[in-house]
Amino acid sequence: MRQFVICGHEVPTSPDFSLDALASEAGRLDLLCRCLNAAFLTSHGLRDDVRVHLVLQDEFTVTVDGATVRNLHPDERSTAALVRTALEHREDAIGHQPAESSPGISIRRVGLDVVLEECARDGTVVQLHEDGEAANEVKPPENPTFVLSDHRDFTDAEATMLAETADQRLRLGPTLLHADHAVTVAHHYLDTDAYTRF
Amino acid sequence: MRQFVICGHEVPTSPDFSLDALASEAGRLDLLCRCLNAAFLTSHGLRDDVRVHLVLQDEFTVTVDGATVRNLHPDERSTAALVRTALEHREDAIGHQPAESSPGISIRRVGLDVVLEECARDGTVVQLHEDGEAANEVKPPENPTFVLSDHRDFTDAEATMLAETADQRLRLGPTLLHADHAVTVAHHYLDTDAYTRF
């Protein structure tokens, strides 16, 4: 299982936004939608061994499970509609219990701390960091979770949580990438078993 | 200079489509927009040593030049608007002369044959192919052009042109990727100098 956690700092936690304005009034939800695309979609199908957690303003988490998700298309607009539908179900998420909004997509009232704790139990939390070990020198862990931020840097609180939970710091290359491109490169690193299997 | 050629088989060659329906009535223009995003945008700026040619139905080519392009944002919708503006200028493209529709973006009445010929003059045309050489065993050429197709395979005519022009066949990994993800992986291959520099 590969997991990705993406912190969205400005994405609304209520569904009151237009699909025509993902980059503005929806707080750069377009980027999070491209992260879902990069995490799940290949040329001939869907990666079913992947789970993505979109942590919205450290308050709600929308989780997409590749094993059960349906109707996930490549374009930003239709993916954003799925996230918006999840937000429409936010009041059904009571305590830390998830509310399923569509097949394979659920929303919970939890922040980064809970998500990271769960991922650490599931496997190895990897922090992508420019001072980390070079990816070509590190064999991929078995059940990795990659933690990424949107167009904003991690907040101090998030960075602290991440530093405490992460088992590994990894440098994916010399160029600082947007989160969605980093997801693609992380998959490439894993698919090729650290650039040894093509 | 890095160049990418993307063949769009169903993208309209006239601007009569809605930005709300990129994945349907605009013939999967969403994918081509993500290719532009992947080709040009990094976390802290724009790759100015990149040029992308979107070959539309082998009839018109929209070229975006990283050195001069302006107003290229990450989201699909605003990028699609730039392509649509280029198509609004298609009647200004006379013979093989380009018509500039916005800074750094121009449209020409040429198909894949002309574009490939020019790219071959500029450097090395690379065909991404599952039977090609493994990317970790090939040093990147100096001025590569990567040629990709949208959600459709290359037509027989395109495949023949490509086989005749390509100097190299390269396999980017064991997973067949969408064109936009392949652009990201190709950059990663070049940025890391074939996975040796992180």
Side-chain angles (χ1 to χ4, degrees), chain B residues 55-86:
Chain B
V55 181
L56 308 182
Q57 296 193 30
D58 205 20
E59 196 185 341
F60 285 92
T61 296
V62 174
T63 294
V64 183
D65 190 332
T68 49
V69 70
R70 301 278 288 277
N71 305 320
L72 182 66
H73 301 295
D75 65 297
E76 291 167 10
R77 190 183 173 92
S78 68
T79 307
L82 293 174
V83 174
R84 192 170 67 173
T85 302

mmCIF file of all heavy atoms in Angstrom, chain B residues 55-86:
data_model
loop_
_atom_site.group_PDB
_atom_site.id
_atom_site.type_symbol
_atom_site.label_atom_id
_atom_site.label_comp_id
_atom_site.label_asym_id
_atom_site.label_seq_id
_atom_site.Cartn_x
_atom_site.Cartn_y
_atom_site.Cartn_z
ATOM 1 N N VAL B 55 0.048 19.540 -31.114
ATOM 2 C CA VAL B 55 -0.367 19.294 -32.502
ATOM 3 C C VAL B 55 -1.831 18.858 -32.480
ATOM 4 O O VAL B 55 -2.158 17.785 -31.954
ATOM 5 C CB VAL B 55 0.505 18.209 -33.161
ATOM 6 C CG1 VAL B 55 0.066 17.990 -34.607
ATOM 7 C CG2 VAL B 55 1.976 18.607 -33.099
ATOM 8 N N LEU B 56 -2.708 19.706 -33.010
ATOM 9 C CA LEU B 56 -4.150 19.468 -32.901
ATOM 10 C C LEU B 56 -4.689 18.867 -34.193
ATOM 11 O O LEU B 56 -4.661 19.511 -35.249
ATOM 12 C CB LEU B 56 -4.868 20.778 -32.576
ATOM 13 C CG LEU B 56 -4.299 21.538 -31.364
ATOM 14 C CD1 LEU B 56 -5.106 22.799 -31.089
ATOM 15 C CD2 LEU B 56 -4.231 20.669 -30.122
ATOM 16 N N GLN B 57 -5.141 17.632 -34.101
ATOM 17 C CA GLN B 57 -5.712 16.909 -35.240
ATOM 18 C C GLN B 57 -4.789 16.952 -36.457
ATOM 19 O O GLN B 57 -5.257 16.963 -37.602
ATOM 20 C CB GLN B 57 -7.099 17.454 -35.572
ATOM 21 C CG GLN B 57 -8.080 17.221 -34.432
ATOM 22 C CD GLN B 57 -9.523 17.457 -34.834
ATOM 23 O OE1 GLN B 57 -9.886 17.255 -35.985
ATOM 24 N NE2 GLN B 57 -10.344 17.861 -33.894
ATOM 25 N N ASP B 58 -3.504 17.012 -36.222
ATOM 26 C CA ASP B 58 -2.482 17.025 -37.272
ATOM 27 C C ASP B 58 -2.699 18.163 -38.275
ATOM 28 O O ASP B 58 -2.263 18.075 -39.432
ATOM 29 C CB ASP B 58 -2.464 15.669 -38.002
ATOM 30 C CG ASP B 58 -1.089 15.393 -38.632
ATOM 31 O OD1 ASP B 58 -0.110 16.023 -38.204
ATOM 32 O OD2 ASP B 58 -1.013 14.566 -39.552
ATOM 33 N N GLU B 59 -3.318 19.242 -37.814
ATOM 34 C CA GLU B 59 -3.732 20.313 -38.730
ATOM 35 C C GLU B 59 -3.202 21.668 -38.262
ATOM 36 O O GLU B 59 -2.675 22.442 -39.052
ATOM 37 C CB GLU B 59 -5.268 20.320 -38.757
ATOM 38 C CG GLU B 59 -5.863 21.089 -39.901
ATOM 39 C CD GLU B 59 -7.384 21.152 -39.784
ATOM 40 O OE1 GLU B 59 -7.981 20.317 -39.054
ATOM 41 O OE2 GLU B 59 -7.980 22.057 -40.390
ATOM 42 N N PHE B 60 -3.357 21.929 -36.973
ATOM 43 C CA PHE B 60 -2.836 23.166 -36.391
ATOM 44 C C PHE B 60 -1.878 22.805 -35.256
ATOM 45 O O PHE B 60 -2.061 21.783 -34.585
ATOM 46 C CB PHE B 60 -3.967 24.023 -35.813
ATOM 47 C CG PHE B 60 -4.782 24.732 -36.848
ATOM 48 C CD1 PHE B 60 -5.929 24.146 -37.372
ATOM 49 C CD2 PHE B 60 -4.390 25.984 -37.322
ATOM 50 C CE1 PHE B 60 -6.681 24.798 -38.338
ATOM 51 C CE2 PHE B 60 -5.143 26.640 -38.284
ATOM 52 C CZ PHE B 60 -6.289 26.047 -38.798
ATOM 53 N N THR B 61 -0.876 23.662 -35.051
ATOM 54 C CA THR B 61 0.037 23.451 -33.923
ATOM 55 C C THR B 61 0.103 24.717 -33.084
ATOM 56 O O THR B 61 0.382 25.804 -33.606
ATOM 57 C CB THR B 61 1.442 23.065 -34.420
ATOM 58 O OG1 THR B 61 1.352 21.811 -35.099
ATOM 59 C CG2 THR B 61 2.419 22.944 -33.265
ATOM 60 N N VAL B 62 -0.190 24.548 -31.801
ATOM 61 C CA VAL B 62 -0.059 25.652 -30.840
ATOM 62 C C VAL B 62 1.271 25.449 -30.116
ATOM 63 O O VAL B 62 1.494 24.398 -29.509
ATOM 64 C CB VAL B 62 -1.228 25.661 -29.837
ATOM 65 C CG1 VAL B 62 -1.001 26.711 -28.757
ATOM 66 C CG2 VAL B 62 -2.549 25.897 -30.561
ATOM 67 N N THR B 63 2.153 26.450 -30.221
ATOM 68 C CA THR B 63 3.472 26.344 -29.591
ATOM 69 C C THR B 63 3.576 27.317 -28.428
ATOM 70 O O THR B 63 3.202 28.480 -28.549
ATOM 71 C CB THR B 63 4.577 26.631 -30.630
ATOM 72 O OG1 THR B 63 4.550 25.588 -31.624
ATOM 73 C CG2 THR B 63 5.959 26.644 -29.987
ATOM 74 N N VAL B 64 4.059 26.796 -27.312
ATOM 75 C CA VAL B 64 4.255 27.620 -26.119
ATOM 76 C C VAL B 64 5.749 27.647 -25.808
ATOM 77 O O VAL B 64 6.393 26.588 -25.735
ATOM 78 C CB VAL B 64 3.472 27.056 -24.915
ATOM 79 C CG1 VAL B 64 3.630 27.960 -23.699
ATOM 80 C CG2 VAL B 64 1.991 26.882 -25.261
ATOM 81 N N ASP B 65 6.278 28.853 -25.655
ATOM 82 C CA ASP B 65 7.716 29.029 -25.441
ATOM 83 C C ASP B 65 7.952 29.532 -24.024
ATOM 84 O O ASP B 65 7.501 30.631 -23.665
ATOM 85 C CB ASP B 65 8.243 30.035 -26.482
ATOM 86 C CG ASP B 65 9.753 30.085 -26.485
ATOM 87 O OD1 ASP B 65 10.372 29.820 -25.427
ATOM 88 O OD2 ASP B 65 10.335 30.379 -27.543
ATOM 89 N N GLY B 66 8.663 28.728 -23.242
ATOM 90 C CA GLY B 66 8.877 29.066 -21.838
ATOM 91 C C GLY B 66 9.636 30.366 -21.633
ATOM 92 O O GLY B 66 9.503 31.008 -20.585
ATOM 93 N N ALA B 67 10.442 30.773 -22.631
ATOM 94 C CA ALA B 67 11.248 31.981 -22.480
ATOM 95 C C ALA B 67 10.387 33.237 -22.497
ATOM 96 O O ALA B 67 10.769 34.260 -21.922
ATOM 97 C CB ALA B 67 12.299 32.051 -23.587
ATOM 98 N N THR B 68 9.233 33.165 -23.147
ATOM 99 C CA THR B 68 8.449 34.389 -23.326
ATOM 100 C C THR B 68 7.001 34.274 -22.859
ATOM 101 O O THR B 68 6.287 35.280 -22.830
ATOM 102 C CB THR B 68 8.433 34.799 -24.818
ATOM 103 O OG1 THR B 68 8.099 33.642 -25.604
ATOM 104 C CG2 THR B 68 9.781 35.317 -25.255
ATOM 105 N N VAL B 69 6.563 33.050 -22.486
ATOM 106 C CA VAL B 69 5.151 32.891 -22.124
ATOM 107 C C VAL B 69 4.817 33.700 -20.871
ATOM 108 O O VAL B 69 5.662 33.868 -19.976
ATOM 109 C CB VAL B 69 4.775 31.398 -21.937
ATOM 110 C CG1 VAL B 69 5.414 30.814 -20.680
ATOM 111 C CG2 VAL B 69 3.270 31.195 -21.912
ATOM 112 N N ARG B 70 3.585 34.217 -20.834
ATOM 113 C CA ARG B 70 3.102 34.951 -19.658
ATOM 114 C C ARG B 70 1.740 34.391 -19.258
ATOM 115 O O ARG B 70 1.037 33.808 -20.083
ATOM 116 C CB ARG B 70 2.943 36.445 -19.991
ATOM 117 C CG ARG B 70 4.201 37.125 -20.444
ATOM 118 C CD ARG B 70 5.066 37.549 -19.263
ATOM 119 N NE ARG B 70 4.452 38.672 -18.573
ATOM 120 C CZ ARG B 70 4.578 39.944 -18.967
ATOM 121 N NH1 ARG B 70 5.323 40.230 -20.009
ATOM 122 N NH2 ARG B 70 3.980 40.913 -18.305
ATOM 123 N N ASN B 71 1.394 34.598 -18.015
ATOM 124 C CA ASN B 71 0.045 34.241 -17.542
ATOM 125 C C ASN B 71 -0.263 32.758 -17.649
ATOM 126 O O ASN B 71 -1.411 32.377 -17.849
ATOM 127 C CB ASN B 71 -1.028 35.027 -18.304
ATOM 128 C CG ASN B 71 -0.798 36.523 -18.216
ATOM 129 O OD1 ASN B 71 -0.424 37.029 -17.159
ATOM 130 N ND2 ASN B 71 -0.986 37.217 -19.323
ATOM 131 N N LEU B 72 0.762 31.933 -17.535
ATOM 132 C CA LEU B 72 0.520 30.484 -17.521
ATOM 133 C C LEU B 72 0.360 30.049 -16.062
ATOM 134 O O LEU B 72 1.328 30.045 -15.306
ATOM 135 C CB LEU B 72 1.688 29.744 -18.175
ATOM 136 C CG LEU B 72 1.531 28.227 -18.272
ATOM 137 C CD1 LEU B 72 0.391 27.858 -19.214
ATOM 138 C CD2 LEU B 72 2.827 27.586 -18.769
ATOM 139 N N HIS B 73 -0.861 29.717 -15.701
ATOM 140 C CA HIS B 73 -1.152 29.308 -14.325
ATOM 141 C C HIS B 73 -1.326 27.791 -14.278
ATOM 142 O O HIS B 73 -1.530 27.157 -15.311
ATOM 143 C CB HIS B 73 -2.394 30.033 -13.825
ATOM 144 C CG HIS B 73 -2.244 31.520 -13.870
ATOM 145 N ND1 HIS B 73 -1.326 32.192 -13.082
ATOM 146 C CD2 HIS B 73 -2.844 32.471 -14.620
ATOM 147 C CE1 HIS B 73 -1.392 33.485 -13.335
ATOM 148 N NE2 HIS B 73 -2.300 33.686 -14.277
ATOM 149 N N PRO B 74 -1.279 27.215 -13.073
ATOM 150 C CA PRO B 74 -1.299 25.746 -13.015
ATOM 151 C C PRO B 74 -2.638 25.101 -13.369
ATOM 152 O O PRO B 74 -2.658 23.958 -13.806
ATOM 153 C CB PRO B 74 -0.959 25.441 -11.546
ATOM 154 C CG PRO B 74 -0.379 26.682 -10.986
ATOM 155 C CD PRO B 74 -0.990 27.807 -11.752
ATOM 156 N N ASP B 75 -3.738 25.781 -13.162
ATOM 157 C CA ASP B 75 -5.034 25.098 -13.319
ATOM 158 C C ASP B 75 -5.407 24.892 -14.779
ATOM 159 O O ASP B 75 -5.043 25.680 -15.654
ATOM 160 C CB ASP B 75 -6.129 25.871 -12.592
ATOM 161 C CG ASP B 75 -6.361 27.230 -13.220
ATOM 162 O OD1 ASP B 75 -5.429 28.060 -13.212
ATOM 163 O OD2 ASP B 75 -7.459 27.454 -13.766
ATOM 164 N N GLU B 76 -6.163 23.828 -15.023
ATOM 165 C CA GLU B 76 -6.529 23.454 -16.396
ATOM 166 C C GLU B 76 -7.353 24.539 -17.080
ATOM 167 O O GLU B 76 -7.182 24.812 -18.266
ATOM 168 C CB GLU B 76 -7.364 22.162 -16.376
ATOM 169 C CG GLU B 76 -6.568 20.945 -15.980
ATOM 170 C CD GLU B 76 -7.462 19.750 -15.660
ATOM 171 O OE1 GLU B 76 -8.672 19.788 -15.919
ATOM 172 O OE2 GLU B 76 -6.920 18.762 -15.134
ATOM 173 N N ARG B 77 -8.258 25.127 -16.322
ATOM 174 C CA ARG B 77 -9.218 26.042 -16.935
ATOM 175 C C ARG B 77 -8.542 27.279 -17.534
ATOM 176 O O ARG B 77 -8.827 27.662 -18.666
ATOM 177 C CB ARG B 77 -10.252 26.454 -15.873
ATOM 178 C CG ARG B 77 -11.435 27.210 -16.418
ATOM 179 C CD ARG B 77 -12.360 27.643 -15.265
ATOM 180 N NE ARG B 77 -13.412 28.502 -15.769
ATOM 181 C CZ ARG B 77 -14.595 28.065 -16.171
ATOM 182 N NH1 ARG B 77 -14.866 26.792 -16.134
ATOM 183 N NH2 ARG B 77 -15.504 28.911 -16.626
ATOM 184 N N SER B 78 -7.626 27.885 -16.785
ATOM 185 C CA SER B 78 -6.988 29.096 -17.306
ATOM 186 C C SER B 78 -6.021 28.754 -18.445
ATOM 187 O O SER B 78 -5.857 29.532 -19.387
ATOM 188 C CB SER B 78 -6.272 29.862 -16.181
ATOM 189 O OG SER B 78 -5.159 29.149 -15.712
ATOM 190 N N THR B 79 -5.406 27.582 -18.370
ATOM 191 C CA THR B 79 -4.512 27.164 -19.465
ATOM 192 C C THR B 79 -5.335 26.892 -20.725
ATOM 193 O O THR B 79 -4.937 27.264 -21.837
ATOM 194 C CB THR B 79 -3.725 25.901 -19.058
ATOM 195 O OG1 THR B 79 -3.072 26.154 -17.815
ATOM 196 C CG2 THR B 79 -2.685 25.544 -20.102
ATOM 197 N N ALA B 80 -6.496 26.255 -20.543
ATOM 198 C CA ALA B 80 -7.373 25.984 -21.686
ATOM 199 C C ALA B 80 -7.826 27.289 -22.342
ATOM 200 O O ALA B 80 -7.984 27.361 -23.566
ATOM 201 C CB ALA B 80 -8.577 25.160 -21.248
ATOM 202 N N ALA B 81 -8.021 28.319 -21.521
ATOM 203 C CA ALA B 81 -8.410 29.616 -22.081
ATOM 204 C C ALA B 81 -7.311 30.164 -22.990
ATOM 205 O O ALA B 81 -7.596 30.752 -24.043
ATOM 206 C CB ALA B 81 -8.721 30.599 -20.954
ATOM 207 N N LEU B 82 -6.046 29.946 -22.623
ATOM 208 C CA LEU B 82 -4.937 30.392 -23.480
ATOM 209 C C LEU B 82 -4.939 29.645 -24.816
ATOM 210 O O LEU B 82 -4.695 30.236 -25.872
ATOM 211 C CB LEU B 82 -3.596 30.181 -22.763
ATOM 212 C CG LEU B 82 -3.319 31.042 -21.520
ATOM 213 C CD1 LEU B 82 -2.019 30.594 -20.846
ATOM 214 C CD2 LEU B 82 -3.220 32.525 -21.901
ATOM 215 N N VAL B 83 -5.204 28.335 -24.751
ATOM 216 C CA VAL B 83 -5.241 27.539 -25.988
ATOM 217 C C VAL B 83 -6.430 27.986 -26.846
ATOM 218 O O VAL B 83 -6.318 28.117 -28.072
ATOM 219 C CB VAL B 83 -5.340 26.030 -25.670
ATOM 220 C CG1 VAL B 83 -5.520 25.217 -26.943
ATOM 221 C CG2 VAL B 83 -4.091 25.564 -24.914
ATOM 222 N N ARG B 84 -7.551 28.257 -26.194
ATOM 223 C CA ARG B 84 -8.727 28.699 -26.952
ATOM 224 C C ARG B 84 -8.461 30.046 -27.621
ATOM 225 O O ARG B 84 -8.853 30.263 -28.776
ATOM 226 C CB ARG B 84 -9.944 28.785 -26.012
ATOM 227 C CG ARG B 84 -11.250 28.940 -26.752
ATOM 228 C CD ARG B 84 -12.451 28.779 -25.841
ATOM 229 N NE ARG B 84 -12.562 29.850 -24.871
ATOM 230 C CZ ARG B 84 -13.606 30.013 -24.054
ATOM 231 N NH1 ARG B 84 -14.607 29.150 -24.082
ATOM 232 N NH2 ARG B 84 -13.642 30.996 -23.192
ATOM 233 N N THR B 85 -7.767 30.928 -26.934
ATOM 234 C CA THR B 85 -7.405 32.212 -27.537
ATOM 235 C C THR B 85 -6.508 31.996 -28.758
ATOM 236 O O THR B 85 -6.647 32.672 -29.777
ATOM 237 C CB THR B 85 -6.685 33.110 -26.503
ATOM 238 O OG1 THR B 85 -7.550 33.300 -25.388
ATOM 239 C CG2 THR B 85 -6.313 34.446 -27.098
ATOM 240 N N ALA B 86 -5.604 31.033 -28.656
ATOM 241 C CA ALA B 86 -4.755 30.724 -29.820
ATOM 242 C C ALA B 86 -5.632 30.283 -30.985
ATOM 243 O O ALA B 86 -5.420 30.713 -32.141
ATOM 244 C CB ALA B 86 -3.734 29.640 -29.461
#
